[in-house]
Amino acid sequence: MDTGDTAPAFTLDDETGTPRSLDELLENGPVVLFFYPQAMTPGCTAEACHFRDLAADFEAAGATPVGISNDTVDRQAAFAAKHSFGYPLLSDPEGKIAEAFDVRRKLGIIATKRKTFVIGEGRVILGAFKSELNMNAHADKALELLKNR
């Protein structure tokens, strides 16, 4: 999946166990969907907290950050409670959505690649960013794209 592609429709439970569909999330404006490998790990915590810290900027751009990993609902709930993210964390325990977005790893301990998609009306991908090492790059690049469109 890359810029210009149409993101697949999906519904996953968030950290509260509430089903959330991509189409429903898009009703409020663009969605910044960021895939992360595992809740509660240092890199993923830094990345998710950076999205949280830029919440006002994303709101001003009319966009909603949404995190997604293969963690269970309970683990996502603990992660959200510990860091007060204020945006949905979706649980993809079987990795089906990660696979649909082509961010599922074929081999290795870490099942999901770190990649972010800015998704607009009609589920069109407006931009895609990846960085395994720069935890701020995802939110910063997504915000830059939103401000410049």
Side-chain angles (χ1 to χ4, degrees), residues 68-144:
I68 183 171
S69 73
N70 65 344
D71 292 293
T72 63
V73 168
D74 289 342
R75 187 161 173 95
Q76 297 286 40
F79 193 35
K82 184 173 183 177
H83 298 286
S84 303
F85 293 126
Y87 55 78
L89 296 179
L90 305 180
S91 177
D92 182 25
E94 296 174 14
K96 290 181 181 180
I97 307 309
E99 193 168 317
F101 276 83
D102 197 28
V103 297
R104 186 146 169 100
R105 293 184 196 277
K106 307 293 183 228
L107 301 171
I109 297 170
I110 300 171
T112 306
K113 298 174 188 174
R114 191 180 307 278
K115 191 166 182 179
T116 298
F117 299 89
V118 179
I119 305 169
E121 188 176 346
R123 295 195 322 268
V124 173
I125 296 175
L126 305 175
F129 314 101
K130 64 180 178 177
S131 176
E132 295 289 340
L133 303 175
N134 183 344
M135 301 311 147
N136 290 347
H138 295 262
D140 292 347
K141 288 181 179 182
L143 197 52
E144 181 181 342

Side-chain angles (χ1 to χ4, degrees), residues 42-62:
C44 295
T45 298
E47 179 183 20
C49 286
H50 191 58
F51 273 99
R52 177 202 62 205
D53 295 345
L54 295 174
D57 296 301
F58 281 108
E59 186 176 338

